[in-house]
Amino acid sequence: MKAIQITHSQELNIIDIEKPQAPGQGEVLLHLRYVGFCGSDINTFKGRNGMALNPVIPGHEVGAVIEEVGTGVPENLKVGMTVTVNPYTNCGHCASCRNGRVNACQHNETLGVQRDGAMREYIVLPWQKIIPSGCIAPRESALIEPMSVGFHAVDRAQVTDSDVVMVIGCGMVGMGAIVRAALRGATVIAADIDDEKLALAKTMGAACAVNTRSEDVHARLQELTGGFGPDVVIEAVGSVPTYQMAVNEVAFTGRVACIGYAKTDVELPTKLFVQKELDIRGSRNATPQDFRAVIRYMERGQCPTESLITRVVKPEEALETMKWWSQNPGRVFRILVEF
């Protein structure tokens, strides 16, 4: 069967691998229909992802159909059902697992990063990792996982309807954070360097938008928050300036939730940690509850999925598409590969 493999920096090949055999005890065979390329995949392609295997089959944003189920699989998972996938593993023994936060397992291996992923025609997975997508089609199901990461950050930040929430970065993950914060009744400020993304953010629940490249961010936030600053800042970029912005602009006694991985160390004014009595929280991956929350949101039919899908390509177009994305990083929400 056909699969996509990133072998070295700027190198991506279509390879032929053996189709999985019939699923065993507790396993499900999926026919992959759409798989999304995400930020970790483009970093792997650029040779900048130190966590990724080399070579690796990328892909962990899945829209699939159940092809076959093994013995011992719950009856609610049926052949022909559209599903997505929880792509993370957990060891069951580390501090995170012991505390019930398996999404942050110390030894996690994400599909397409620390282990071969879903950019292939078929894959066998444990039934526990299969999440029914309800009435959502396979194409849109591939958007569930990245949005769930943003949903999880809002949960980590304990956002309520009394909060003003600033989301820095309006990519797919940031959009997920904007949606969930708005669903919780918060006033959401979207921040990005791209006006098109900011306009889309306003259709997805942001009350205000700030262009961090062309506007005086501090002055604008003071104006929007009555001089207090946002109660919550969610960092969904992963850069030195955005991390510094989050700490500088969040209100006294505010919360900062960090999703993005900065590629270099970040110098932060630690006196603000104390003076503001900040809660600074990491947010990693997502939980099954976050996946289900995204599915409920998408089932309402209010998610502008066509605006979130930048391109749909065949496997043979993947190399040229990744080269194009490398040269146009700000123009992409999600690229889906159709199998």
Side-chain angles (χ1 to χ4, degrees):
M1 68 176 182
K2 191 179 299 182
I4 292 172
Q5 185 181 66
I6 298 173
T7 52
H8 298 285
S9 176
Q10 304 295 320
E11 291 186 15
L12 181 151
N13 297 306
I14 309 301
I15 61 173
D16 187 61
I17 61 175
E18 187 175 350
K19 180 181 176 181
Q21 301 298 313
Q25 172 76 23
E27 293 181 333
V28 177
L29 173 64
L30 298 182
H31 180 191
L32 284 306
R33 297 295 177 85
Y34 295 88
V35 183
F37 274 124
C38 78
S40 64
D41 298 323
I42 191 67
N43 283 327
T44 301
F45 180 72
K46 292 178 177 180
R48 299 178 182 173
N49 189 347
M51 295 186 295
L53 289 176
N54 186 16
V56 66
I57 296 173
H60 55 259
E61 303 175 357
V62 170
V65 174
I66 295 178
E67 182 86 0
E68 190 175 349
V69 297
T71 58
V73 173
E75 293 183 359
N76 68 302
L77 297 177
K78 301 181 184 297
V79 172
M81 176 181 287
T82 298
V83 299
T84 190
V85 167
N86 181 332
Y88 325 118
T89 64
N90 61 283
C91 68
H93 305 294
C94 70
S96 301
C97 292
R98 184 178 62 184
N99 291 328
R101 290 163 64 177
V102 296
N103 57 291
C105 173
Q106 181 179 350
H107 307 292
N108 167 67
E109 294 184 355
T110 299
L111 279 174
V113 185
Q114 295 95 342
R115 57 186 172 131
D116 279 333
M119 285 280 179
R120 59 179 87 184
E121 294 179 85
Y122 295 90
I123 193 170
V124 169
L125 293 170
W127 71 262
Q128 294 91 340
K129 298 300 178 184
I130 310 303
I131 301 175
S133 300
C135 63
I136 303 169
R139 175 171 147 138
E140 286 71 34
S141 293
L143 304 178
I144 294 170
E145 191 274 342
M147 291 195 74
S148 73
V149 175
F151 269 48
H152 184 66
V154 171
D155 200 52
R156 286 284 293 143
Q158 296 178 302
V159 170
T160 72
D161 56 2
S162 65
D163 288 321
V164 175
V165 179
M166 177 186 184
V167 178
I168 307 176
C170 296
M172 274 295 301
V173 172
M175 289 297 187
I178 288 167
V179 168
R180 194 174 212 182
L183 289 173
R184 290 192 174 189
T187 300
V188 182
I189 301 170
D192 201 279
I193 61 174
D194 185 277
D195 284 331
E196 288 186 19
K197 289 184 176 180
L198 289 171
L200 182 57
K202 293 181 77 170
T203 71
M204 298 184 73
C208 311
V210 177
N211 188 311
T212 58
R213 175 175 286 169
S214 62
E215 297 185 67
D216 183 327
V217 175
H218 179 73
R220 182 79 170 121
L221 289 176
Q222 291 293 295
E223 174 192 346
L224 291 172
T225 63
F228 293 106
D231 304 289
V232 175
V233 176
I234 295 175
E235 200 289 332
V237 177
S239 72
V240 172
T242 52
Y243 263 86
Q244 292 170 335
M245 182 189 300
V247 172
N248 287 330
E249 300 300 340
V250 71
F252 274 65
T253 68
R255 287 101 70 200
V256 177
C258 307
I259 310 173
Y261 283 94
K263 305 301 183 293
T264 60
D265 291 341
V266 181
E267 184 175 317
L268 293 170
T270 55
K271 68 177 183 179
L272 294 182
F273 297 8
V274 178
Q275 289 178 344
K276 291 186 176 184
E277 198 174 52
L278 297 182
D279 290 334
I280 299 179
R281 305 173 182 182
S283 182
R284 186 180 182 192
N285 299 330
T287 67
Q289 293 92 331
D290 299 316
F291 278 81
R292 291 194 292 270
V294 173
I295 291 167
R296 284 194 296 270
Y297 160 67
M298 292 182 70
E299 284 181 328
R300 298 173 189 172
Q302 299 172 340
C303 181
T305 52
E306 289 306 309
S307 297
L308 297 175
I309 300 171
T310 305
R311 287 188 178 183
V312 178
V313 301
K314 298 294 186 181
E316 293 77 12
E317 302 170 294
L319 175 58
E320 289 305 314
T321 300
M322 293 296 270
K323 289 180 178 178
W324 172 81
W325 187 7
S326 296
Q327 297 165 3
N328 300 275
R331 297 177 61 185
V332 172
F333 280 106
R334 270 304 173 270
I335 294 169
L336 303 184
V337 178
E338 180 181 6
F339 287 91

